[in-house]
Amino acid sequence: MEIDARYTSLVAVGDSFTEGMSDLLPDGNYRGWADVLAGRLAARSPGFRYANLAVRGKLIGQIVEDQVPTAAAMGADVVTLVGGLNDALRPKCDMGRVTARLEQAVETLRPSCKRLVLMRSPGRQGPVMERFRPRMEELFDFIDALADRHGALVVDLYAGDHLGDPRMWDEDRLHLTAEGHRRVAEAVWQRLGLPAQDDWTTPLPPAARPGWTARRRSDLAFARKHLGPWIGRRLTGRSSGDGRTGAHFSAERGEAFWVTPADPANPGPVAGWRPVEA
């Protein structure tokens, strides 16, 4: 792999992890690791273009059908694909079907770009993680083998405790905080052969564990605000992504669009970038 390479375009494909939840900006937009990465790449390459097609709640089949063909047609230098974990975290999951659809996505995307980036997603420490760990590790082992077969890169966010610390996760216990997203962006940056800006694996400083009462209060708030609605959606067949499209996909026109910094010398947040004129 070329070291200190230059990339002129990035397309991000996936679910809420790539959409950027819960890295919320003051204006109400999500940022997330893909936007952070795009901003850093843009600072190196005038004319840089970016499109984030990811939509929260999407299963791998939906990603393959709704996002992958669009991403492949865009011909980006770099495509990131993260999917399958929403499937693996469901009570009933056909892992054979999940891996088959993931391979279909890679077979479509890999010839369309210079670098295809896959990930072994991070997992929050706790009982939910332990329950689904075997299924997650089956998925990640398949991703490693898939990358070897197709010449894709893998960013390992799962190994070690760097991103497993509960303080890296939002109160919904499903999505990373701004610091977690920043570290993911750094991990992808380094895997692309770019010079490290910091050590994304550095543990957070030790902190006192909250007392029993505080933990129970947190558990109750989590169950009321996040777990209950999540269960309700599963029982009714709904998804948090219903009716949504990616940040850079026009439902009106039925097509994706690139965005680029309004000021190439000062890219700023992606939310302020302008669409690329056709």
Side-chain angles (χ1 to χ4, degrees):
M1 181 173 57
E2 181 183 356
I3 301 300
D4 201 16
R6 291 191 180 274
Y7 302 102
T8 62
S9 53
L10 166 68
V11 173
V13 173
D15 51 33
S16 60
F17 175 71
T18 301
E19 183 184 346
M21 299 173 71
S22 292
D23 186 4
L24 193 63
L25 294 171
D27 63 4
N29 287 296
Y30 287 113
R31 178 174 49 189
W33 65 266
D35 281 15
V36 174
L37 178 65
R40 290 173 60 173
L41 291 172
R44 296 169 53 89
S45 300
F48 182 83
R49 298 173 300 160
Y50 169 56
N52 191 326
L53 308 181
V55 180
R56 68 194 69 174
K58 295 304 181 182
L59 303 175
I60 186 60
Q62 295 169 312
I63 292 171
V64 170
E65 300 205 1
D66 299 339
Q67 299 177 36
V68 166
T70 299
M74 298 181 83
D77 281 355
V78 179
V79 174
T80 64
L81 167 65
V82 186
L85 199 56
N86 280 338
D87 302 76
L89 294 178
R90 293 200 167 200
K92 294 182 179 180
C93 173
D94 181 347
M95 288 301 295
R97 181 179 181 279
V98 171
T99 55
R101 297 311 298 270
L102 191 57
E103 182 148 27
Q104 180 184 350
V106 169
E107 289 175 345
T108 302
L109 290 171
R110 181 64 191 92
S112 75
C113 61
K114 293 180 180 178
R115 300 288 184 207
L116 176 61
V117 179
L118 310 178
M119 296 189 198
R120 293 164 57 93
S121 303
R124 184 183 187 276
Q125 296 168 3
V128 174
M129 174 68 172
E130 293 309 312
R131 176 184 177 188
F132 291 102
R133 186 183 296 275
R135 199 182 284 172
M136 291 173 64
E137 293 185 347
E138 178 183 350
L139 175 65
F140 297 156
D141 287 346
F142 180 79
I143 287 172
D144 286 342
L146 189 60
D148 285 342
R149 288 198 299 273
H150 294 277
L153 305 178
V154 177
V155 180
D156 190 358
L157 305 171
Y158 177 75
D161 297 329
H162 327 304
L163 292 171
D165 190 314
R167 291 172 292 171
M168 289 285 189
W169 297 77
D170 190 50
E171 63 178 12
D172 67 2
R173 305 182 184 182
L174 286 174
H175 302 107
L176 292 169
T177 61
E179 172 61 13
H181 280 285
R182 186 197 66 77
R183 291 184 181 225
V184 173
E186 176 66 25
V188 180
W189 174 270
Q190 293 181 25
R191 191 68 184 90
L192 287 170
L194 298 167
Q197 296 192 4
D198 59 48
D199 183 359
W200 67 273
T201 67
T202 302
L204 292 175
R209 187 168 185 249
W212 186 90
T213 301
R215 296 200 306 275
R216 297 295 78 76
R217 188 180 297 118
S218 175
D219 290 342
L220 288 172
F222 161 71
R224 181 176 62 253
K225 187 175 180 180
H226 301 288
L227 182 59
W230 183 86
I231 292 173
R233 290 193 297 271
R234 297 290 81 73
L235 292 175
T236 57
R238 293 178 292 118
S239 166
S240 57
D242 289 348
R244 294 181 178 273
T245 61
H248 305 128
F249 186 91
S250 170
E252 181 180 355
R253 300 196 306 269
E255 60 184 25
F257 58 92
W258 296 103
V259 293
T260 193
D263 179 2
N266 182 27
V270 168
W273 291 13
R274 63 174 177 82
V276 175
E277 296 181 6

